[in-house]
Amino acid sequence: MTSDVTTGTGQEPAGLARRTGAELLRRVEDRLRSLLAAERDAWAGVDERAVVPIDALAELIESGGKRIRPAFCITGYLAAGGDPEAPGIVAVGAALEMLHLSALVHDDVLDDSSHRRGLPTVHTRHTALHDSSGWQGEARRYGEGVAILVGDLALVYSGELMSQAPKPALPEWNKLRSEVMIGQYMDVHAAAAFSVDPRLSRLIAKIKSGRYTIHRPLVVGATAAGRSDLAPAFEEYGEAVGEAFQLRDDLLDAFGDSADTGKPTGLDFTQHKMTLLLGWAMQRDERIHALITEPGHTADEVRRRLVDTGVPADVEKHIDALVERGCKAIADAPVDQVWRGELTDMARRVAYRNA
């Protein structure tokens, strides 16, 4: 496979460009599995119990996931003319996915979520193990402690992988990591305060999810290829499409099917997440605040009230506007048309996905 797809000549078809990206994603997948397999082999010789956190991460990898962050990173890299045969971009993609695993495991503790990708979450599984084994101490505290350590281990592995990346990508990587942590704190704080502030809800969605999912991975990929000049266009695209991605998540949490999403629905209600969906709805109907915070009310009651406000339909319109804005931003980006088309397709896929 040659690197002509990524040189901006405009001579290669979109199909070949997409296959190049798919091949790099496959190599990312192999890198994740080989790292965890090597770690397991090393620790199994120390003590059989030492492999438990590694196995927890391996199970998450095997359970699927959309690999959105590596996909955007690789697309940014190829759009910037990066060599698909260079080894660094595979390490970067794997680092992004490992960082995401860390965030997922910790997020499940913060949200008290029982399932992820159709399987019991790490803290739920180890809480149950402690309980059934009759061990000392508090079962829930044990389960959450294990999950925190599993998430921290993924964070360590992400750093190890990123140490193999092209150095120009590191500053953007560091911004990405700090943003997701600060965004998570702001999300936790907003849930505790649970005051109506749509401006803050949008800011949290951008920092915690949008930049971390789309904007920063794109720029990490472009800078790894030596094209930091693409940062402004990728920022405008990523901010818009990233917000659309998070709004779709909000709608899926409120109205989706857990069989499709692989996790419980209605968590934003039970955890008092001040999403833009809820913020807008509570501006129109004060009763929604009580339905969520007072005991004795069901998620179905909240859903019916949300629909009555008309806000879900308005959120859909807002997603449409954000996708249009993102597509317009990328239409003027100084990259080959094949990659402008691919990023346009990716914007629509993440904004209008069902799960």
Side-chain angles (χ1 to χ4, degrees):
M1 185 179 295
T2 70
S3 60
D4 291 345
V5 171
T6 63
T7 60
T9 63
Q11 301 303 310
E12 297 294 329
L16 183 54
R18 189 168 289 182
R19 287 195 296 275
T20 304
E23 170 60 19
L24 284 174
L25 276 175
R26 186 195 63 76
R27 288 164 57 190
V28 165
E29 214 59 31
D30 290 346
R31 186 64 160 273
L32 290 166
R33 287 180 168 85
S34 64
L35 183 152
L36 292 175
E39 284 291 295
R40 193 185 198 286
D41 288 345
W43 283 103
V46 176
D47 189 290
E48 62 181 10
R49 289 161 292 196
V51 304
V52 169
I54 300 166
D55 285 347
L57 292 175
E59 182 178 68
L60 273 170
I61 291 293
E62 294 298 330
S63 66
K66 295 177 282 292
R67 311 294 190 254
I68 291 174
R69 291 146 199 88
F72 274 101
C73 178
I74 286 168
T75 301
Y77 177 79
L78 294 174
D83 179 3
E85 301 303 327
I89 190 58
V90 173
V92 175
L96 282 165
E97 189 62 25
M98 196 61 79
L99 176 65
H100 184 52
L101 291 187
S102 173
L104 290 182
V105 174
H106 287 165
D107 206 35
D108 287 338
V109 174
L110 292 171
D111 292 345
D112 195 22
S113 179
S114 62
H115 285 79
R116 169 72 64 180
R117 298 174 181 171
L119 299 171
T121 52
V122 175
H123 73 279
T124 299
R125 176 167 295 179
H126 286 276
T127 296
L129 176 63
H130 183 287
D131 194 48
S132 64
S133 301
W135 292 339
Q136 298 298 309
E138 187 180 336
R140 177 173 175 146
R141 187 173 179 83
Y142 174 81
E144 292 180 349
V146 170
I148 289 169
L149 294 170
V150 169
D152 287 350
L153 184 61
L155 196 60
V156 170
Y157 289 152
S158 73
E160 180 181 325
L161 287 160
M162 200 64 192
S163 69
Q164 303 160 40
K167 287 186 178 179
L170 293 179
E172 200 69 23
W173 162 257
N174 289 330
K175 288 180 188 175
L176 183 156
R177 289 192 303 167
S178 61
E179 277 176 345
V180 72
M181 302 303 174
I182 291 171
Q184 284 281 50
Y185 159 74
M186 293 176 68
D187 191 37
V188 168
H189 174 79
F194 203 57
S195 56
V196 178
D197 188 347
R199 184 202 64 82
L200 179 61
S201 296
R202 288 191 69 184
L203 179 63
I204 291 171
K206 287 180 182 179
I207 295 175
K208 175 193 169 188
S209 183
R211 290 178 185 171
Y212 152 71
T213 302
I214 297 172
H215 166 200
R216 297 293 181 202
L218 274 172
V219 178
V220 166
T223 53
R227 289 287 305 276
S228 59
D229 62 293
L230 290 174
F234 282 170
E235 177 179 358
E236 189 174 352
Y237 168 92
E239 291 272 306
V241 178
E243 186 179 357
F245 169 85
Q246 181 56 51
L247 290 174
R248 178 60 57 198
D249 256 9
D250 296 344
L251 287 170
L252 286 169
D253 181 88
F255 301 103
D257 186 336
S258 59
D260 295 327
T261 62
K263 57 185 179 181
T265 56
L267 279 176
D268 288 347
F269 305 155
T270 59
Q271 297 302 313
H272 302 162
K273 292 297 181 74
M274 185 46 69
T275 63
L276 186 62
L277 171 69
L278 288 177
W280 278 354
M282 283 190 284
Q283 282 184 325
R284 298 183 189 180
D285 185 348
E286 294 180 358
R287 180 61 181 154
I288 291 173
H289 187 286
L291 288 177
I292 292 173
T293 58
E294 294 177 1
H297 299 289
T298 67
D300 284 339
E301 286 181 86
V302 179
R303 291 186 187 98
R304 287 193 295 269
R305 202 87 178 193
L306 285 173
V307 171
D308 288 344
T309 67
V311 166
D314 288 344
V315 170
E316 289 285 3
K317 291 175 185 175
H318 189 47
I319 289 172
D320 292 342
L322 288 166
V323 171
E324 184 178 350
R325 191 179 108 203
C327 292
K328 183 177 180 182
I330 210 64
D332 298 325
V335 297
D336 192 271
Q337 174 57 41
V338 70
W339 295 112
R340 292 200 295 270
E342 179 64 11
L343 284 165
T344 297
D345 289 345
M346 290 175 77
R348 291 175 179 141
R349 289 200 296 272
V350 300
Y352 299 114
R353 70 195 189 282
N354 293 324

